Amino acid sequence: MSNPLLDLTGKLPDYPSVKPTHINPALDTLLASSATAVTAAEQAQNPSWESFVEPLDEALNKLGLAWGVVAHLESVVTTPELRDVYNANIARISNFYTELGQNERLYAQYKLIAASSEFATYNSAKKTIIEDTLRDFRLSGAELADAQKQRFAKISEELSELTVKFGQNVMDATDEWALYLEDIAELDGLPQDWLSAAKSAAEADGRTGYKVTLKQPSQGPVMQFCSNRSLRETVYHANVTRAAEFGPAERDNGPLISRIHALRSEAAQLLGFNNYSEESLATKMADTPAQVAEFLRNLGHGAKPFAAKDRTELKTFAKEQLGLNELAVWDYGYAAEKLSEAKYAFSAQEVKAYFTEDAVLAGLFKVIETLYSLRFVKADAPVWHPDVNYYALQNMDGSAVGGLYLDLYARTGKQGGAWMNDVLSRSRKSASLQNPVALVVCNFARGVDGKPALLTHDDVITLFHEFGHALHHLLTEVDESGVSGINGVEWDAVELPSQFMENFCWEWQVLPDLTRHVDSGEPLPRALFDKMLAAKNFMSGSGMVRQVLLSLFDMGLHANADVVDAAAHNAALVAEFETPVAPDYNRWYNTFSHIFAGGYAAGYYSYKWAEVLSADAYSAFEEAAAAGQAILDPVTGARFRAEILAKGGSRPAIDSFIAFRGRKPEVAALLRHNGLSV
């Protein structure tokens, strides 16, 4: 029987055919063939792009594709058997790539190419790949002494295992908690679609009543709508004590945070950096941790007076209208929703009834069609779960551009949050073109009682955000996979296309096409939209400060090479920005997977850094609209596609931004969009 993990080059993976028993044999074969290719590359005479770079990349790509499929399946449809074999292979995959990054002979070959006369004839994409590869060799320890290399390799192996364990602990702690309630009175205020889903979830477990979980579609509405203060406190407590010392010891992420931080610091110092933040910034737009901290504090302290005003208004309202003399942290979401309803005369649930899944997708596709003359067409492809759909991305003449998997709903065995990832990258070998393929994963609530799924407006924004990432990958025109699509883009610029797309969720020219009431079928009324728009920046000061605090927590933690007490570090930032003080048991950082299990370590600031870029870029569309064009202006869209999306990582992100905007980015648009302009 053939192994579905072998030879995935240029093919859509056969996800449903992959079994845990396929993984070890496939990796045995692919690691062996990769080692053979490395040996051949080490011995190549007069290395060039055609004789050295391309054949080595082709061999290594097969291993990367297979391991990518395994890692993806572990994150979206994990089973005990899959997790066991995945975890068992982390070390040897990590060791292979660490040894590859430290291979002095390969490093020397790339140096020869960079010093050759042929290098001057390369296009910008090929030059960037060579230069980035040389940098990555240095950051992988290729210039270290042998003893230091061995230590660096051990650190890399342990970090790979610990960061995976961190994410798995979060998933398991989230999945295992549940509360079953028999009395519907305890769920007062929760919408009917939530109640139907909770009842179905309980029935699926062989229970009666209603099931509350820590999955976002369940716990989020409890914190926002439920008038039962005791239940809100219970859910809050369970949520902020996940993966902490209050549960099973083997699932406590506290020791992992300390160990991950210590290992990152040690590895950075081996490479000659003072701390991990400096190492992280070596591949980003920002220059130093101090520059990032100054940027964040300027934003945070600028927003601080607005946040203080938000809290004062909320506390006064809660006391006078809700009878809450003391506003606890588990009251904030509920009180904010009630205050918003009182101020703007609408509720999030009223809006949600208009955002049916099929209407949202149709409207999103129309935005993309209008801006970029493209269309998404549902197509057949092997998928990892019945929830998943596959779409072919085509030009209007039907010619292929790429493909996209879409996995929208929360379920057990699937990591929380939302993300985009690449499946295949665009590349060209002679006359053969491999089109890019991406996947978008979300965790929305599925439809119940035969009705379509209803998305909150925040869900819609999340979907547009992830599609922005996907378009960045799919609309590349770069033929070298190392810098096509999202590959090679500086991490603090990678959020530009995603945050840019969010803006269209607030445009009246777009909203009618995104909405269809679940019962009446009517689009969103203009009067309701106007109320939404008036409420757009409700408590935006608090939101800005919250993101700045998260970013400074990350950057400050990693900018200190010594042991950092996460609780004390967080407390200092809470005091600096005067945000609500959480109970002593709060261990929110134990679930901060972005920095302890994902790629955002010493990089979480990227969301705010890139938001400056995205807000300023979107201003070009606002200027076109002010000049009489539609907000979905195809001319401006074509320029954005050509200068931002098409270029991928083939040139510095700041150069792409300037090429589109005609100048360097300015922070004014970000402040204006958030209602924080003085």
Side-chain angles (χ1 to χ4, degrees):
M1 182 182 293
S2 61
N3 192 314
L5 290 172
L6 294 176
D7 195 19
L8 292 169
T9 305
K11 301 176 183 176
L12 294 178
D14 188 4
Y15 290 109
S17 296
V18 176
K19 303 293 185 284
T21 53
H22 291 130
I23 296 173
N24 281 327
L27 293 181
D28 289 342
T29 299
L30 293 169
L31 284 166
S33 61
S34 295
T36 300
V38 168
T39 299
E42 291 172 342
Q43 299 170 355
Q45 301 296 312
N46 301 315
S48 66
W49 187 268
E50 288 74 18
S51 68
F52 172 80
V53 177
E54 283 189 347
L56 179 60
D57 282 352
E58 185 175 351
L60 296 177
N61 186 51
K62 293 178 180 179
L63 174 62
L65 289 172
W67 184 243
V69 168
V70 175
H72 172 65
L73 291 174
E74 204 285 323
S75 71
V76 292
V77 285
T78 193
T79 63
E81 296 77 17
L82 175 58
R83 177 173 290 184
D84 285 346
V85 72
Y86 174 69
N87 287 346
N89 280 289
I90 292 170
R92 69 167 173 163
I93 294 296
S94 173
N95 290 338
F96 174 81
Y97 283 111
T98 299
E99 291 174 8
L100 187 70
Q102 295 181 348
N103 189 309
E104 294 180 19
R105 293 181 179 178
L106 291 183
Y107 187 26
Q109 296 283 58
Y110 276 100
K111 287 184 188 177
L112 286 175
I113 293 175
S116 69
S117 58
E118 183 185 75
F119 182 76
T121 68
Y122 288 173
N123 60 29
S124 63
K126 291 180 179 179
K127 287 180 178 177
T128 298
I129 289 173
I130 299 298
E131 292 165 351
D132 286 356
T133 301
L134 292 173
R135 176 203 65 198
D136 292 343
F137 269 111
R138 294 189 292 271
L139 293 177
S140 297
E143 296 180 343
L144 296 177
D146 287 345
Q148 291 177 313
K149 279 185 178 178
Q150 292 176 13
R151 179 56 190 154
F152 191 93
K154 287 292 185 183
I155 291 172
S156 298
E157 176 183 334
E158 188 176 353
L159 277 173
S160 295
E161 294 173 340
L162 291 177
T163 53
V164 167
K165 177 62 174 171
F166 187 100
Q168 291 175 346
N169 284 346
V170 175
M171 182 197 296
D172 292 345
T174 302
D175 283 347
E176 76 169 0
W177 189 91
L179 179 66
Y180 298 90
L181 298 174
E182 295 288 341
D183 187 357
I184 195 172
E186 294 187 78
L187 302 169
D188 179 62
L190 283 160
Q192 184 58 49
D193 64 321
W194 187 97
L195 293 170
S196 296
K199 187 174 183 180
S200 296
E203 290 172 352
D205 293 347
R207 303 285 293 267
T208 58
Y210 304 86
K211 181 181 181 181
V212 183
T213 76
L214 296 181
K215 292 284 188 181
Q216 182 57 31
S218 179
Q219 65 96 0
V222 171
M223 302 308 295
Q224 186 176 2
F225 299 110
C226 188
S227 62
N228 183 346
R229 195 182 193 203
S230 175
L231 178 59
R232 295 201 306 270
E233 181 179 3
T234 298
V235 172
Y236 172 87
H237 181 278
N239 197 46
V240 300
T241 57
R242 285 178 298 159
E245 68 270 27
F246 312 105
E250 67 274 11
R251 207 168 285 164
D252 181 5
N253 276 342
L256 270 63
I257 290 175
S258 299
R259 185 59 178 164
I260 289 169
H261 174 264
L263 291 171
R264 286 171 174 169
S265 297
E266 183 183 354
Q269 291 176 332
L270 283 173
L271 295 174
F273 298 99
N274 291 312
N275 51 63
Y276 181 75
S277 287
E278 289 186 0
E279 179 192 342
S280 174
L281 294 184
T283 59
K284 296 180 174 68
M285 292 175 68
D287 295 322
T288 66
Q291 180 193 17
V292 172
E294 180 182 12
F295 163 75
L296 291 170
R297 282 193 159 87
N298 284 340
L299 283 180
H301 286 289
K304 187 175 172 181
F306 294 91
K309 183 180 178 182
D310 291 342
R311 287 193 300 277
T312 298
E313 183 181 21
L314 190 62
K315 288 180 178 179
T316 300
F317 175 83
K319 183 176 183 179
E320 295 178 353
Q321 303 298 322
L322 304 178
L324 296 173
N325 292 324
E326 293 295 330
L327 198 64
V329 286
W330 49 84
D331 297 325
Y332 270 81
Y334 176 74
E337 174 62 24
K338 292 299 183 183
L339 174 57
S340 176
E341 292 177 15
K343 288 184 69 171
Y344 306 108
F346 79 98
S347 71
Q349 283 303 310
E350 181 183 2
V351 171
K352 180 179 177 181
Y354 286 93
F355 287 107
T356 50
E357 176 194 329
D358 50 353
V360 170
L361 285 177
L364 171 57
F365 292 160
K366 185 174 181 179
V367 168
I368 295 167
E369 174 185 331
T370 305
L371 285 176
Y372 307 123
S373 297
L374 297 166
R375 64 184 182 188
F376 282 98
V377 179
K378 189 176 286 190
D380 291 328
V383 295
W384 53 88
H385 190 275
D387 287 348
V388 181
N389 288 307
Y390 179 79
Y391 297 86
L393 179 60
Q394 302 173 346
N395 290 308
M396 298 308 289
D397 63 5
S399 57
V401 174
L404 178 76
Y405 295 91
L406 191 56
D407 184 356
L408 291 180
Y409 309 130
R411 57 179 176 267
T412 300
K414 179 181 180 182
Q415 288 182 6
W419 65 91
M420 188 284 298
N421 212 340
D422 60 315
V423 178
L424 296 173
S425 296
R426 175 180 166 121
S427 64
R428 188 183 297 275
K429 300 292 187 293
S430 301
S432 176
L433 175 65
Q434 174 180 284
N435 284 319
V437 177
L439 57 88
V440 165
V441 178
C442 299
N443 272 275
F444 303 148
R446 66 176 67 249
V448 292
D449 298 336
K451 293 186 177 182
L454 298 180
L455 278 60
T456 68
H457 191 239
D458 284 345
D459 289 340
V460 176
I461 291 172
T462 295
L463 186 61
F464 270 64
H465 178 103
E466 300 306 335
F467 261 75
H469 283 308
L471 291 171
H472 197 186
H473 188 65
L474 296 173
L475 299 189
T476 186
E477 295 176 6
V478 179
D479 289 338
E480 287 73 35
S481 61
V483 289
S484 72
I486 58 172
N487 297 322
V489 178
E490 298 99 317
W491 198 260
D492 44 5
V494 78
E495 297 294 335
L496 189 171
S498 55
Q499 292 174 327
F500 162 81
M501 280 292 289
E502 295 179 20
N503 291 282
F504 293 110
C505 299
W506 293 101
E507 295 291 350
W508 176 245
Q509 294 180 33
V510 174
L511 264 293
D513 291 323
L514 284 175
T515 55
R516 186 167 64 250
H517 194 278
V518 65
D519 295 322
S520 70
E522 293 296 316
L524 186 78
R526 179 61 190 254
L528 182 53
F529 169 76
D530 288 341
K531 293 176 182 179
M532 291 171 58
L533 198 60
K536 176 178 182 288
N537 291 319
F538 176 61
M539 301 193 74
S540 62
S542 299
M544 177 72 77
V545 168
R546 175 62 177 161
Q547 285 299 105
V548 166
L549 190 149
L550 293 174
S551 301
L552 284 171
F553 177 91
D554 168 41
M555 186 57 66
L557 184 87
H558 289 105
N560 190 333
D562 298 325
V563 175
V564 174
D565 183 329
H569 179 47
N570 177 63
L573 291 169
V574 167
E576 177 181 351
F577 291 98
E578 300 176 4
T579 60
V581 177
D584 290 341
Y585 58 73
N586 188 309
R587 300 290 184 272
W588 67 266
Y589 32 80
N590 280 33
T591 59
F592 199 179
S593 295
H594 273 77
I595 69 170
F596 296 120
Y600 282 85
Y604 195 79
Y605 77 92
S606 300
Y607 284 103
K608 284 300 164 196
W609 187 278
E611 197 174 348
V612 171
L613 305 178
S614 64
D616 199 348
Y618 190 73
S619 292
F621 290 80
E622 293 175 320
E623 291 162 9
Q629 306 301 316
I631 194 69
L632 296 176
D633 178 34
V635 175
T636 310
R639 286 199 300 109
F640 186 81
R641 176 179 178 176
E643 301 296 355
I644 303 290
L645 302 178
K647 298 301 182 184
S650 65
R651 66 182 179 191
I654 188 63
D655 292 348
S656 294
F657 180 90
I658 292 173
F660 171 67
R661 204 69 179 95
R663 55 165 173 76
K664 292 182 178 180
E666 298 173 355
V667 74
L670 171 62
L671 298 176
R672 174 170 53 82
H673 286 176
N674 284 272
L676 301 177
S677 300
V678 178

